[in-house]
């Protein structure tokens, strides 16, 4: 039996062929390994080149694949038929070939079992791919054809004699002979992985059939789809559960999240991962150890979070979206996260198991992989019900001998290769960040404002509630009414109200964050202002509008006492001074700077005339305080310039705008170099100064966004607020769109544009509660965008608005309204020279009203902290109480390093500590932390998330 191949020699046979040619050649060779054909021929098939094939052949059966015909001499086929050979032409598929061969050669009733036939056909496939692998790269074959032929025919003979055991033994020996031919050149072990991808559309009979037939399945399925499986397809759920109980299924698990993990706060992202993992545990009583996402969504946080959630490996590609890293020499890498955590990750992108071309090219790929890879791996992927003849042949091969490699489960793969791979760390720019496009494409409601609402409501409320409950618990108050946590804490600190409390209640302020808070309070309902004390910065102002500024210590409280008859009044320029009571640990209490704002202070907002040249002037509204001076153009309403005392050049400009769709931008008559080309600009209709100070200044600008052709794109109202002793300009915007945002959400939108004059500033983003460098043009930073230099910075406090687009080196658009967005009101801030942007961004999210309540009475200590994190680059994200047998036993705190540098510090408690432990997110102890009296001595590396359990003495 002879098969022709389309090249001058087998060693130079190109594996880069289209799907049809690959199927022709694979089918032609493997079909001839049908045991009935081998039995009739009494020898195994052979190859010969179509370009130099001899006329003098003595083969009875000749297969001419269609891709070889044009290479043969014109009369070659005719002459072979005259010599008595049976020549088969125009056959492209193995089943089609066998349907022709067997009847025409008189062996249709061969009597061989289909399973036995399938094993021999798999031997033919393994023979071809192994021989091609060796000869393509080593130009010689070490296969002992004589020995192989003897084993093949002994197996057939034993089968005919009814000796099944010997038949199987000889067939296994034949597979081992094929395997040995590779091991002369490639003695190392190679791995083959089959990934079964599962979607709701592939539930049903094909999936159940796969579960019944296979002994090992690597199932790549979304936890959301899996959770719906019991109701969507009860039969498939029952079959899958039985397969799991039999140990046949190894899961690749994902997070329980429909949105981008990157946009969530770090602990919320971790909870999504744990929620996803719990689906597999709850439904099938398994603990998945490998994480993966069918679509894009990986990020640099994941190695750390996955380690803390108990995962041992990850899939570093997205099979449904086609995302992968650039071609690598290694199949595995040690994935290094932004904090330095390491996790094994498979990076070898899978081949399409239904592609003939990919299997024909497998020898070439595998050869190069084996040559340089520490864990040589070939990966295949398919959906249930998809036919893959060649993969099925390789799976059969695996039952006898690993000729091309050993198939293994995904969990077993990571255990076997745990020390292989090079360390690789990828920044945020390496991962796709198009969650806005995905949300718009999938028709999600409010793709932008969803995140702003999440951060300002759910995230803040969850943090406040957890921390206040913790503080209540450690103070001995366990019967907390969860809708009145702050009041309960006030009662715990101040005690029960006594009868002599005045009608004018004292104010209790609690700070749930681990950094100090500066709160501006309106006390207009008080008949008089309180006296100025250490935590209070007092403004002298009119009776009808009273404000105070209070500095609240980290994780502590302040009680503001109402004025008494002995206190100063509005007419008294020197209010009475009160002695500051001691805190629990006065030596650790960072005393806030108190500063009286006198009557002579400049108003926070004033109208000025700026001289442009000898003939003209410009009307500006100047917003100013101790730190900066911002100028609003009265004609167009934009923030034209921003100055500080240290830098008298313009540092920032800001304006609202509408980036028109591409077809409208093309009609813009402005010069292509004009940065405003394609934008509808601002035009102010009315400017109202609502408040000029002395503590708060507020200005409202009403106007239009006007296209270059004069059309009105939107009406807007923008309110800017500045405060004494605050480095933040608060911005509230209401937009009434008159023109729709374009279909491409990153290219057409309503937004706010920032422009700065220093192209040396580094762009950092507030992602996952930390500050990280961002290099891409499309940014996803829901907490802030920080423009940082060596000595100064400008920070956009985005307040949960996650999507930003960078233009060049000095412009940034923050998207407010994209396609599908229904919200019209937005809030953000501009921070000037913020030393630590993470605390500022968290404080900007906070609603002070959540922390304020009437105090039952004046406590002995009017200001104190309860816990103290002595490192400015470390933030406590959340506190949780540990209560055992109705008694406080300790607490759990989640610390995060935010600035990308090491931190060594004491975490002090107002109660003495007995023990401190670093734990993972499953509650398992990682290591013990040294305790010294009231302090746990913490050592953290850059961007580390440290869950910590503290137990009181």
């Amino acid at each position: 039996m002879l098969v022709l191949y389309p090249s001058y020699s087998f060693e130079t046979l190109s594996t880069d062929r289209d799907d049809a040619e690959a199927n022709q050649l694979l089918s032609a060779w493997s079909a001839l390994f049908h045991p009935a054909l081998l039995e009739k021929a009494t020898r195994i098939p052979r190859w010969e080149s179509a370009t130099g094939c001899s006329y003098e052949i003595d083969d009875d059966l000749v297969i001419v694949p269609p891709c070889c015909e044009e290479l043969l001499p014109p009369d070659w086929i005719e002459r072979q038929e005259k010599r008595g050979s049976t020549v088969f032409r125009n056959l492209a598929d193995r089943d089609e070939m066998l349907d022709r061969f067997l009847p025409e050669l008189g062996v249709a009733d061969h009597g061989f079992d289909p399973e036995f036939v399938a094993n021999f056909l798999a031997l033919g496939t393994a023979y071809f791919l192994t021989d091609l692998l060796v000869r393509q790269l080593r130009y010689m074959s070490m296969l002992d054809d004589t020995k192989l032929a003897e084993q093949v025919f002994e197996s057939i003979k034993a089968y005919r004699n009814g000796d099944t055991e010997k038949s199987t033994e000889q067939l296994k020996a034949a597979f081992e002979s094929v395997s040995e031919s590779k091991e002369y050149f490639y003695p190392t072990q190679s791995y083959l992985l089959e990934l079964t991808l599962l979607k709701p559309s592939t539930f049903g009979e094909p999936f159940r059939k796969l579960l019944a037939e296979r002994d090992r399945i690597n199932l790549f399925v979304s936890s959301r789809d899996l959770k719906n499986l019991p109701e969507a397809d009860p039969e498939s759920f029952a079959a899958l559960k039985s397969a799991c109980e039999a140990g046949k299924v190894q899961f690749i698990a994902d997070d329980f999240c429909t949105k981008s993990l990157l946009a969530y706060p770090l602990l919320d992202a971790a909870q999504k991962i744990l929620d996803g993992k719990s689906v597999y545990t709850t439904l099938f009583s398994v603990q998945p150890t490998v994480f993966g996402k069918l679509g894009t969504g990986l990020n640099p946080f994941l190695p750390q979070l996955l380690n803390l959630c108990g995962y041992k490996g990850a899939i570093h590609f997205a099979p449904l979206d086609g995302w992968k890293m650039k071609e690598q020499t290694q199949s595995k890498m040690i994935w290094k996260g932004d904090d330095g955590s390491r996790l094994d990750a498979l990076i070898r992108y899978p081949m399409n198991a239904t592609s003939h071309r990919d299997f024909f090219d497998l020898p070439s790929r595998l050869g190069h992989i084996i040559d340089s890879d520490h864990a040589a791996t070939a990966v295949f992927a398919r959906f249930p019900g998809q036919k893959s003849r060649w993969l099925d042949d390789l799976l059969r091969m695996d039952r006898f001998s690993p000729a091309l490699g050993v198939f293994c489960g995904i969990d077993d793969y990571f255990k076997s290769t745990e020390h292989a791979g090079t360390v690789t760390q990828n920044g945020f720019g390496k991962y796709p960040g198009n969650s806005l496009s995905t949300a718009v494409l999938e028709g999600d409601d409010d793709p932008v404002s969803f995140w702003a609402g999440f951060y300002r409501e759910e995230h803040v409320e969850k943090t406040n509630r957890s921390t206040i409950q913790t503080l209540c618990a450690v103070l001995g108050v366990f019967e907390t009414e969860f809708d009145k946590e702050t009041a309960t804490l006030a009662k715990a600190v101040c005690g029960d109200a006594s009868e002599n409390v005045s009608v004018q209640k004292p104010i209790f302020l609690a700070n749930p964050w681990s950094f100090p808070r500066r709160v501006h309070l309106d006390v207009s309902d008080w008949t008089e202002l309180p006296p100025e004390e250490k935590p209070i910065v007092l403004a002298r102002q009119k009776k009808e509008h009273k404000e105070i500024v209070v500095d609240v210590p980290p994780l502590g409280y302040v009680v503001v006492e109402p004025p008494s008859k002995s206190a100063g009044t509005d007419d008294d320029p020197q209010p009475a001074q009160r002695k500051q009571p001691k805190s629990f640990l006065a030596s650790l209490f960072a005393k806030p700077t108190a500063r009286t704002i006198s009557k002579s202070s400049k108003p926070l907002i004033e109208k000025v005339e700026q001289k442009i040249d000898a003939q003209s002037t410009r009307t500006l509204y100047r917003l100013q305080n101790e730190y900066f001076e911002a100028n609003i153009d009265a004609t167009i309403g934009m923030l034209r310039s921003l100055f500080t005392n240290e830098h008298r050049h313009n540092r920032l400009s800001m304006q609202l705008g509408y980036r028109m769709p591409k077809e409208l931008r093309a009609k813009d008559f402005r010069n292509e170099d004009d940065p405003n080309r394609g934008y509808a600009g601002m035009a102010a209709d009315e400017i109202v100064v609502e408040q000029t100070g002395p503590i708060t200044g507020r200005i409202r600008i009403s106007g239009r966004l006007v296209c270059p052709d004069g059309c009105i794109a939107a009406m807007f109202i923008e309110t800017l607020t500045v405060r004494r002793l605050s480095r933040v300009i608060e911005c509230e915007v209401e937009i009434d769109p008159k023109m729709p945002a374009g279909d491409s959400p990153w290219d057409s939108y309503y937004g706010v544009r920032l422009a700065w004059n220093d192209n040396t500033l580094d762009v950092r983003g507030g992602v996952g509660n930390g500050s990280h460098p961002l290099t891409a043009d499309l940014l996803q930073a829901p907490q802030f965008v920080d423009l940082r230099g060596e000595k100064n910075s400008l920070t956009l406090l985005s307040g949960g608005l996650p999507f930003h687009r960078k233009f060049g080196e000095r412009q940034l658009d923050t998207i407010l309204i994209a396609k599908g967005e229904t919200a019209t009101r937005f809030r953000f801030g501009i921070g000037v020279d913020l030393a630590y942007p993470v605390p500022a961004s968290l404080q900007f999210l906070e609603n002070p009203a959540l922390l304020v309540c009437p105090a039952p009475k004046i406590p002995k200590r009017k200001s104190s902290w309860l816990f103290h994190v002595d490192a400015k680059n470390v933030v406590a994200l959340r506190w949780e109480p540990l209560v055992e047998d109705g008694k406080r036993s300790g607490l759990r705190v989640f610390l995060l390093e935010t600035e990308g540098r090491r931190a060594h510090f004491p975490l002090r408690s107002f109660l003495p500590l007995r023990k401190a432990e670093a734990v993972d997110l499953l509650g398992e102890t990682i290591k013990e932390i040294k305790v010294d009296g009231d302090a746990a001595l913490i050592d953290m590396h850059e961007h580390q998330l440290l869950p910590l359990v503290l137990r009181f003495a």
Side-chain angles (χ1 to χ4, degrees):
M1 295 184 291
L2 172 67
V3 182
L4 301 182
Y5 58 83
S7 68
Y8 287 99
S9 68
F10 198 72
E11 290 76 13
T12 60
L13 177 62
S14 172
T15 59
D16 185 16
R17 299 193 171 273
D18 62 30
D19 221 45
E21 292 185 0
N23 190 32
Q24 294 165 20
L25 296 171
L26 284 166
S27 296
W29 180 257
S30 59
L32 295 185
F33 272 76
H34 191 290
L37 298 178
L38 291 171
E39 186 178 43
K40 185 175 180 66
T42 68
R43 61 181 180 180
I44 61 176
R46 69 185 186 92
W47 285 95
E48 193 161 327
S49 169
T51 59
C53 189
S54 170
Y55 280 97
E56 305 297 326
I57 64 171
D58 57 357
D59 299 273
D60 297 316
L61 172 62
V62 179
I63 301 180
V64 181
C67 61
C68 295
E69 286 208 29
E70 61 181 13
L71 303 178
L72 290 169
D75 60 342
W76 190 88
I77 294 177
E78 183 181 353
R79 292 179 61 176
Q80 302 314 314
E81 289 176 339
K82 289 181 178 179
R83 291 173 59 86
S85 298
T86 303
V87 180
F88 290 94
R89 306 165 58 188
N90 301 321
L91 297 176
D93 185 77
R94 188 165 75 184
D95 291 340
E96 181 185 12
M97 293 176 184
L98 291 175
D99 289 343
R100 285 278 306 278
F101 296 168
L102 298 178
E104 292 195 21
L105 297 175
V107 291
D109 298 325
H110 48 73
F112 289 110
D113 181 82
E115 190 73 10
F116 187 73
V117 172
N119 290 337
F120 267 79
L121 296 177
L123 176 63
T125 302
Y127 180 112
F128 170 74
L129 294 176
T130 304
D131 201 33
L132 190 59
L133 165 66
V134 174
R135 295 173 67 169
Q136 286 274 312
L137 297 177
R138 300 304 178 199
Y139 297 102
M140 63 182 298
S141 174
M142 298 298 293
L143 179 62
D144 188 340
D145 289 326
T146 303
K147 179 181 177 182
L148 176 66
E150 180 181 341
Q151 293 162 340
V152 165
F153 291 111
E154 282 295 322
S155 178
I156 295 174
K157 181 179 178 181
Y159 182 90
R160 289 301 193 191
N161 293 333
D163 191 345
T164 305
E165 182 177 350
K166 183 178 180 180
S167 176
T168 303
E169 180 183 326
Q170 289 298 315
L171 182 58
K172 185 176 187 301
F175 273 101
E176 289 175 348
S177 295
V178 172
S179 182
E180 288 171 3
S181 69
K182 175 182 76 75
E183 292 176 0
Y184 281 105
F185 301 103
Y186 303 109
T188 58
Q189 179 68 274
S190 55
Y191 301 91
L192 304 178
L193 287 170
E194 183 206 4
L195 307 182
T196 299
L197 312 180
L198 188 62
K199 298 192 300 183
S201 59
T202 59
F203 294 162
E205 181 58 33
F207 178 49
R208 295 193 290 272
K209 183 179 179 182
L210 178 71
L211 292 172
E213 293 177 349
R214 299 289 301 282
D215 297 328
R216 177 181 53 246
I217 301 173
N218 298 316
L219 194 57
F220 204 162
V221 55
S222 162
S223 59
R224 299 177 304 281
D225 295 336
L226 204 59
K227 188 175 182 179
N228 296 329
L229 182 61
E231 292 184 4
D233 190 347
E235 291 185 45
S236 294
F237 171 69
L240 179 56
K241 191 168 185 177
S242 297
C244 290
E245 291 171 352
K248 297 167 62 174
V249 178
Q250 294 184 8
F251 286 103
I252 299 169
D254 73 343
D255 55 86
F256 197 77
C257 184
T258 58
K259 300 182 183 295
S260 170
L261 277 182
L262 194 62
Y264 281 99
L266 201 60
L267 288 182
D268 292 85
Q271 188 60 51
K272 297 292 183 183
I273 295 173
L274 291 175
D275 290 344
K277 191 173 185 178
S278 68
V279 172
Y280 305 87
T281 305
T282 303
L283 294 180
F284 305 106
S285 301
V286 297
Q287 287 286 348
T289 62
V290 180
F291 178 87
K293 291 185 72 69
L294 288 166
T296 54
L298 300 180
N299 64 66
F301 296 148
L302 284 177
Q304 175 175 210
L305 295 183
L306 294 177
N307 275 323
L308 291 173
C309 292
Y311 283 98
K312 304 300 182 184
I315 305 298
H316 202 266
F317 49 76
L320 295 190
D321 286 358
W323 177 83
K324 60 180 178 178
M325 293 177 63
K326 291 182 179 179
E327 195 65 29
Q328 303 287 319
T329 58
Q330 302 294 312
S331 297
K332 263 190 63 187
M333 72 177 183
I334 299 173
W335 187 11
K336 186 177 180 181
D338 65 307
D339 70 314
S341 295
R342 299 185 177 193
L343 183 74
D344 286 353
L346 175 68
I347 57 178
R348 181 70 64 192
Y349 194 76
M351 293 177 280
N352 183 355
T354 64
S355 168
H356 305 294
R357 175 181 179 177
D358 281 358
F359 279 93
F360 195 79
D361 193 40
L362 178 62
S364 178
R365 293 189 189 184
L366 198 57
H368 292 295
I369 291 172
I370 294 174
D371 269 342
S372 58
D373 200 337
H374 298 298
T377 309
V379 186
F380 312 94
R382 64 174 168 178
F383 290 99
Q386 287 185 322
K387 301 297 183 181
S388 179
R389 174 184 299 128
W390 315 119
L391 179 57
D392 291 341
D393 283 357
L394 294 185
L395 289 168
R396 285 185 175 275
M397 170 207 72
D398 188 57
R399 301 177 187 175
F400 297 95
S401 178
L404 289 170
V406 58
F407 278 91
C408 56
I410 192 68
D411 294 348
D412 305 324
Y413 172 77
F414 279 102
K415 290 178 183 177
S416 302
T417 61
E418 60 180 341
H419 300 298
T422 57
V423 179
T424 305
Q425 184 172 15
N426 296 317
F428 291 92
K430 293 289 185 181
Y431 298 96
N434 291 325
S435 58
L436 175 60
S437 298
T438 303
V440 171
L441 183 64
E442 295 179 355
D444 290 359
D445 294 333
D446 298 327
V448 178
S449 62
F450 166 84
W451 293 107
F454 172 82
Y455 272 87
R456 291 189 55 79
E457 296 172 10
E458 182 176 339
H459 172 55
V460 167
E461 182 181 355
K462 185 186 300 182
T463 302
N464 285 349
R465 174 166 294 190
S466 176
T467 304
I468 298 301
Q469 289 176 7
T470 302
L471 298 181
C472 287
V474 299
L475 288 170
V477 182
F478 304 112
E479 59 279 357
T480 303
E481 296 181 30
F482 291 153
D483 58 339
K484 300 177 181 178
E485 290 91 349
T486 309
T488 305
L489 179 61
K491 183 178 179 180
V493 172
C494 303
D496 293 328
S498 59
E499 296 180 359
N500 60 356
V501 173
S502 64
V503 176
Q504 197 166 283
K505 298 284 187 181
I507 297 178
F508 179 85
L509 296 95
N511 179 10
W513 297 104
S514 58
F515 47 84
R517 287 285 314 275
R518 178 164 287 167
V519 181
H520 293 73
L521 286 182
D522 187 338
V523 290
S524 299
D525 57 337
W526 283 13
T527 57
E528 297 177 356
L529 287 173
E532 182 175 351
E533 297 181 345
K534 290 287 185 178
I536 302 174
V537 181
L538 182 64
R540 308 293 300 157
Q541 47 191 304
K542 297 179 180 179
K543 291 184 177 180
E544 62 268 18
H545 191 85
K546 303 184 183 69
E547 285 183 288
I548 58 174
V549 182
V550 183
D551 285 326
V552 191
L555 280 163
Y557 67 88
V558 168
V559 176
V560 182
E561 185 178 357
S564 63
K565 292 181 180 180
S566 61
T569 63
D570 287 346
D571 299 325
D572 181 4
Q574 300 294 332
Q577 298 295 312
R578 299 291 184 87
K579 184 179 179 181
Q580 173 69 10
K582 292 182 180 180
S583 61
F584 289 136
L585 292 173
S587 61
L588 295 175
F589 178 61
K591 295 180 175 58
T593 58
R595 182 173 178 179
T596 302
I597 303 171
S598 66
K599 289 182 177 180
S600 61
S601 298
K602 288 184 179 181
L604 293 178
I605 300 179
E606 59 182 355
K607 189 175 182 179
V608 298
E609 298 293 332
Q610 183 185 56
K611 190 172 183 179
I612 301 176
D613 51 42
Q615 288 78 30
S616 59
T617 59
R618 177 191 291 125
T619 302
L620 300 174
Y621 286 87
R622 181 167 294 161
L623 287 64
Q624 57 194 357
N625 65 7
E626 298 81 1
Y627 304 118
F628 57 78
E629 173 189 300
N631 295 306
I632 306 296
D633 191 308
T635 303
I636 61 178
M638 69 174 286
L639 194 157
R640 181 172 290 280
S641 57
L642 177 69
F643 305 98
T644 61
N645 295 330
E646 294 80 11
H647 301 85
R648 294 311 299 169
H649 58 271
N650 181 21
R651 295 181 58 186
L652 182 74
S653 297
M654 181 185 75
Q655 64 175 326
L656 301 177
Y658 167 60
R659 181 172 169 82
M660 297 180 289
K662 186 175 181 180
E663 58 273 12
L664 295 181
R665 290 202 306 272
K667 300 176 182 179
D668 194 336
F669 57 82
R670 287 176 287 195
N671 189 289
E672 291 187 1
D673 296 331
D674 188 336
N676 291 318
R677 188 175 189 272
Y679 275 80
M682 297 175 70
D685 295 329
E686 182 185 34
I687 297 181
V688 178
V689 177
E690 297 183 337
Q691 194 172 339
T692 60
I695 285 188
T696 299
R698 185 173 290 108
I699 185 172
R700 186 181 76 248
I701 307 160
S702 303
R704 298 154 287 142
L705 298 180
V706 184
C707 296
D709 60 2
C711 294
I712 297 176
M715 306 297 292
F716 73 86
I717 299 175
E718 181 179 25
T719 303
L720 303 178
T721 303
V722 294
R723 304 181 190 273
R724 295 287 187 191
L725 303 177
S726 173
R727 293 184 177 273
V728 177
I729 304 174
E730 301 172 29
C731 308
E732 294 184 12
V733 175
E734 183 175 357
I735 298 177
D736 181 13
K738 304 300 182 184
M739 300 177 68
D743 292 333
S744 176
W746 285 104
D747 198 48
S748 176
Y749 46 80
Y750 290 89
V752 57
R753 166 163 287 193
L754 303 182
W756 56 96
N757 71 339
D758 187 353
N759 58 11
T760 65
L761 297 180
D762 294 328
V763 179
R764 300 179 68 86
V767 189
N769 299 111
S771 177
H772 302 269
L774 301 178
T775 57
D777 290 333
L778 304 181
L779 308 180
Q780 189 166 298
Q783 293 162 323
F784 60 84
V785 177
D786 192 35
L787 310 172
R788 187 156 294 271
E790 291 185 4
K791 297 181 179 179
N792 56 78
S793 67
L794 294 167
T795 307
L796 171 70
L797 302 174
S798 49
L801 300 172
F803 306 115
H804 317 272
R805 179 172 179 176
K806 188 180 175 185
F807 291 90
E809 295 181 336
R810 296 186 294 145
Q811 289 187 357
L812 180 81
D813 282 3
T814 295
I815 298 175
L816 302 180
I817 298 178
K819 185 177 181 181
E821 182 61 56
T822 61
T824 58
R825 293 188 177 187
F826 306 92
R827 181 175 181 267
F828 55 91
I830 304 295
V832 181
D833 294 336
L834 300 176
Y836 294 91
V838 173
S841 69
L842 293 172
Q843 179 167 338
F844 186 76
L845 289 171
E846 182 100 40
N847 180 0
L850 293 174
L851 303 170
V852 179
C853 72
K857 67 177 184 178
I858 307 299
K860 292 181 179 180
R861 300 180 178 90
K862 290 193 294 183
S863 177
S864 182
W865 53 266
L866 301 176
F867 298 93
H868 187 80
V869 178
D870 197 12
K872 292 184 178 180
N873 60 321
V874 175
V875 170
L877 297 180
R878 192 175 299 163
W879 301 74
E880 297 175 353
L882 294 179
V883 179
E884 299 173 355
D885 299 328
K887 299 180 180 180
R888 66 182 180 202
S889 61
L891 56 86
R892 182 183 292 108
V893 57
F894 299 87
L895 301 177
L896 177 69
E897 198 289 313
T898 62
E899 294 294 319
R901 62 176 188 264
R902 293 189 70 91
H904 183 72
F905 61 95
L907 189 161
R908 294 194 179 276
S909 166
F910 78 105
L911 295 172
L913 298 176
R914 173 173 59 87
K915 187 178 183 181
E917 296 174 318
V919 298
D920 61 18
L921 294 173
L922 301 175
E924 300 295 328
T925 300
I926 298 176
K927 65 176 181 180
E928 287 198 10
I929 303 295
K930 185 177 180 181
V931 171
D932 182 11
D934 63 349
L937 305 181
I938 310 296
D939 188 12
M940 296 179 67
H941 52 75
E942 61 276 8
H943 295 300
Q944 181 184 3
L945 174 64
L946 178 62
L948 194 65
V949 169
L950 304 177
R951 297 191 180 276
F952 301 127

